[in-house]
Amino acid sequence: MLSFSLTSLRALAAAVLLLQAGTALAQAPAESAKPAGADTQMLLFWFLLSTLALVLLVFVLFFTMIIVKMKPQLRKLYELPTVHDTWSGQVLGLLIGDPALVTGKNKDELMGHDYDGITEFDNDLPPWWKYGFYVTIVFAVAYMGYYHVAQAGQLQTAEYETEMQQATLLVSADNDDPNKLTTYAALKAPADLDAGKTIFTTNCAPCHGPNAEGKVGPNLTDEYWLHGGEINHVYKTIKFGVTSKGMVAWKGKLSGKQILQVSSFIASLKGSKPAGAKEPQGDKEL
């Protein structure tokens, strides 16, 4: 019976292979006009993949037939004391229908304890659960050694900073790049400072006060700055704004020269000490 089944399987495998070969030959004339390249490689890939799947299927069927035919002999082998309690014996028992490898040996066995009608059972933890727990211990030790002891890998914070640095490389490095600081020098010409004062009075005074003493926004005349007091930092703050602090972006409303003019005017107010100045905010800059 076993030899007949093996012969049938071999015949089935040969028939499928012939069918695949015939399909490939039938497609060859239609694809002969196409240039050899990606299509040929994909066809070869799928042919090899289907062949591998067929081989695995035949192997599984063949292995299953062996287990079914030899089940009585395997059961006798499994019942031997030297085999039954070993790990390999548990695998053998799973093949012949004993799920002890998955469920454990003891299940709903009374331990002889009885408290007011409440009995205690002795149930094994499922072996798969215990092995999974052991794997987590090994993983934890390896993780601790790799990341914290040897410091061979980046932790979450360092990995985040690295990804952010890589992301900045994808932003165009032009005048509209908020990550690129300009290299302007403060304007000193009276005409530019007057123009900057006019812009400040019209657009900035409602939040920062007519003399930049600070109202809703911070005081711009002292040595303390939330986002940098150097001319290019002020330029960046005005141009791109700080949404989280309520500072709007003036990009698109003021030209680049106007932003530099008002930035230069603000820089000229340093140390003016206007009346009613708001308390310092941010970090001190000399």
Side-chain angles (χ1 to χ4, degrees):
M1 181 65 180
L2 179 60
S3 60
F4 174 76
S5 300
L6 292 177
T7 304
S8 301
L9 284 175
R10 291 169 183 169
L12 176 61
V16 174
L17 289 176
L18 289 175
L19 179 60
Q20 289 181 341
T23 303
L25 291 176
Q27 292 177 347
E31 297 180 352
S32 59
K34 295 183 180 180
D39 293 341
T40 303
Q41 292 180 355
M42 286 301 298
L43 180 62
L44 179 60
F45 169 77
W46 286 113
F47 175 77
L48 293 176
L49 186 62
S50 60
T51 303
L52 177 61
L54 177 63
V55 172
L56 291 176
L57 177 61
V58 172
F59 175 79
V60 170
L61 292 175
F62 181 71
F63 182 76
T64 304
M65 290 180 60
I66 292 178
I67 297 298
V68 172
K69 295 298 181 182
M70 298 184 62
K71 192 171 183 178
Q73 292 83 354
L74 294 176
R75 182 171 295 278
K76 292 180 180 180
L77 177 63
Y78 175 62
E79 292 174 354
L80 293 176
T82 56
V83 176
H84 187 275
D85 295 329
T86 63
W87 188 86
S88 58
Q90 296 294 318
V91 174
L92 179 61
L94 186 63
L95 293 176
I96 62 176
D98 186 353
L101 181 64
V102 178
T103 61
K105 295 181 182 179
N106 300 326
K107 186 173 181 61
D108 295 341
E109 292 188 5
L110 291 174
M111 297 185 64
H113 301 161
D114 188 344
Y115 303 96
D116 296 331
I118 300 174
T119 57
E120 183 178 358
F121 290 101
D122 180 17
N123 294 329
D124 286 342
L125 285 172
W128 62 266
W129 190 95
K130 291 190 291 186
Y131 297 145
F133 180 68
Y134 300 151
V135 170
T136 61
I137 295 176
V138 174
F139 176 81
V141 173
Y143 183 93
M144 177 68 71
Y146 183 79
Y147 286 99
H148 294 276
V149 178
Q151 297 183 348
Q154 291 183 329
L155 296 176
Q156 292 180 348
T157 302
E159 187 175 2
Y160 170 77
E161 293 175 352
T162 300
E163 291 179 355
M164 292 300 296
Q165 292 175 359
Q166 294 174 349
T168 58
L169 300 177
L170 303 177
V171 181
S172 60
D174 54 21
N175 292 332
D176 290 330
D177 181 3
N179 298 301
K180 180 183 178 183
L181 199 63
T182 55
T183 56
Y184 296 133
L187 301 176
K188 302 294 185 180
D192 291 319
L193 294 178
D194 289 341
K197 181 178 180 180
T198 301
I199 296 170
F200 182 89
T201 302
T202 304
N203 302 289
C204 308
C207 290
H208 294 281
N211 298 310
E213 70 275 13
K215 289 187 176 180
V216 177
N219 179 8
L220 302 179
T221 65
D222 57 18
E223 298 175 342
Y224 293 85
W225 294 85
L226 292 170
H227 308 289
E230 194 269 334
I231 185 66
N232 291 286
H233 286 93
V234 176
Y235 182 94
K236 175 184 176 181
T237 303
I238 296 174
K239 182 174 182 179
F240 297 105
V242 184
T243 306
S244 61
K245 300 293 181 62
M247 173 67 183
V248 300
W250 291 96
K251 171 188 172 183
K253 303 173 184 178
L254 300 175
S255 66
K257 184 176 181 180
Q258 289 176 317
I259 295 176
L260 183 58
Q261 287 173 335
V262 70
S263 300
S264 301
F265 171 73
I266 292 172
S268 70
L269 298 176
K270 182 178 180 180
S272 59
K273 299 180 180 180
K278 193 175 182 179
E279 68 278 1
Q281 294 175 273
D283 299 323
K284 184 176 181 180
E285 294 188 14
L286 300 178

